[in-house]
Amino acid sequence: MTDTDTHAPPHSTTGPESADAPLHRRGIKSYVTRAGRMTQAQTRGLTDIWPRLGLSIADGCQDLDALFGRRAPRVVEIGFGMGTSLIEQAERHPQTDFIGIEVHAPGVGKLLDEADKRGLRNIRVYREDALAVLEQCLPADSVDTLQLFFPDPWPKTKHHKRRIVQPAFVALVRSRLAINGQFHLATDWEPYAEWMAEVLDAAPGFTNTASGDSAPYVPRPAFRPLTKFEQRGEKLGHGVWDLIYRRIG
């Protein structure tokens, strides 16, 4: 991948789309739904625990205070995978409410099973397209932190249009974050980290929280759990780039 690929201007076919590009342009998705064998625990999560902790777009726009039965800081994580990081956060921070969004059934089932086994009451889950959830289910100015950890980097130039981090998506995130709320991104693909910084730096209403020599990136925050995937990558010398932007308007 060349510098031209990763730093193309917004109007280029290889760079981020314009801010007014539709979020669901021609039905393009930022993910691929993968089939996978379900374990007994994962099946239990989807059948027995889902009625209590699962949410659907059909439920409409949520009153988050009513949903959790309290007023608390709210964290939304898009694409939580198998849920290990999100479960750890929810268990470590019982005073915070968490909403996870993931399309893959095994990951959703595993997270629900673990949440039930650990007695977690501060977590809810959507098995839906994240863009639709943000648009239809989360009220404006209602989220304190939105997390996007290790999204598919779609490294081939012809697939860059599939990357979830685009100006229109960032504008939607901004509308759901409260003032001073944070958008926390992490990736192990450096060209995608550069792309993320380019899109966020150009987005109105955000400021980068990084400072010093590491800018535009921040050192890995202690509150972001270190996953097994990331630990393996570190041993192989792979880098990870964290970016945290704060909504200022």
Side-chain angles (χ1 to χ4, degrees):
M1 189 171 295
T2 67
D3 269 357
T4 302
D5 293 331
T6 57
H7 293 290
H11 62 272
S12 166
T13 57
T14 61
E17 294 186 329
S18 64
D20 58 356
L23 285 166
H24 297 279
R25 185 170 66 85
R26 297 191 302 277
I28 291 173
K29 300 292 186 183
S30 62
Y31 57 86
V32 175
T33 303
R34 302 174 181 86
R37 179 175 294 180
M38 299 284 291
T39 67
Q40 184 175 358
Q42 291 165 357
T43 301
R44 172 183 176 270
L46 287 176
T47 56
D48 297 349
I49 314 306
W50 177 266
R52 179 161 52 87
L53 300 182
L55 299 171
S56 169
I57 287 176
D59 299 329
C61 189
Q62 295 287 344
D63 179 334
L64 299 183
D65 290 352
L67 178 66
F68 287 98
R70 65 179 182 176
R71 178 74 173 174
R74 304 274 154 68
V75 175
V76 173
E77 182 167 333
I78 293 175
F80 58 74
M82 298 306 289
T84 304
S85 170
L86 190 55
I87 284 288
E88 183 175 335
Q89 292 177 75
E91 190 168 46
R92 189 187 299 173
H93 304 286
Q95 76 284 1
T96 299
D97 293 329
F98 294 84
I99 295 175
I101 308 172
E102 175 59 66
V103 295
H104 302 298
V108 174
K110 184 176 187 296
L111 181 138
L112 290 169
D113 180 65
E114 283 294 323
D116 179 65
K117 288 177 177 176
R118 301 186 191 204
L120 301 179
R121 300 181 179 180
N122 61 332
I123 193 165
R124 299 290 187 276
V125 182
Y126 280 98
R127 186 185 169 196
E128 305 274 8
D129 185 300
L131 297 181
V133 173
L134 292 182
E135 288 179 308
Q136 302 176 42
C137 304
L138 298 182
D141 310 318
S142 65
V143 178
D144 295 285
T145 301
L146 192 139
Q147 300 176 164
L148 181 66
F149 297 156
F150 306 103
D152 195 324
W154 294 103
K156 292 183 180 179
T157 299
K158 66 180 180 179
H159 292 153
H160 283 183
K161 60 183 177 291
R162 289 185 174 271
R163 289 177 169 176
I164 190 171
V165 179
Q166 302 282 352
F169 169 72
V170 171
L172 178 59
V173 168
R174 175 192 172 198
S175 73
R176 296 310 183 247
L177 283 174
I179 295 294
N180 293 318
Q182 293 189 335
F183 184 19
H184 183 183
L185 310 91
T187 180
D188 62 340
W189 186 259
E190 188 172 12
Y192 197 13
E194 295 170 354
W195 170 292
M196 290 171 169
E198 176 187 340
V199 173
L200 268 295
D201 286 344
F206 281 101
T207 186
N208 193 332
T209 65
S211 62
D213 294 340
S214 67
Y217 312 112
V218 298
R220 186 185 75 84
F223 56 78
R224 180 172 70 74
L226 189 66
T227 65
K228 290 182 179 179
F229 166 81
E230 193 174 348
Q231 288 174 330
R232 287 198 301 268
E234 283 188 346
K235 292 179 180 178
L236 295 172
H238 298 169
V240 171
W241 293 267
D242 282 82
L243 302 100
I244 299 180
Y245 285 78
R246 180 168 55 86
R247 182 188 171 188
I248 57 173

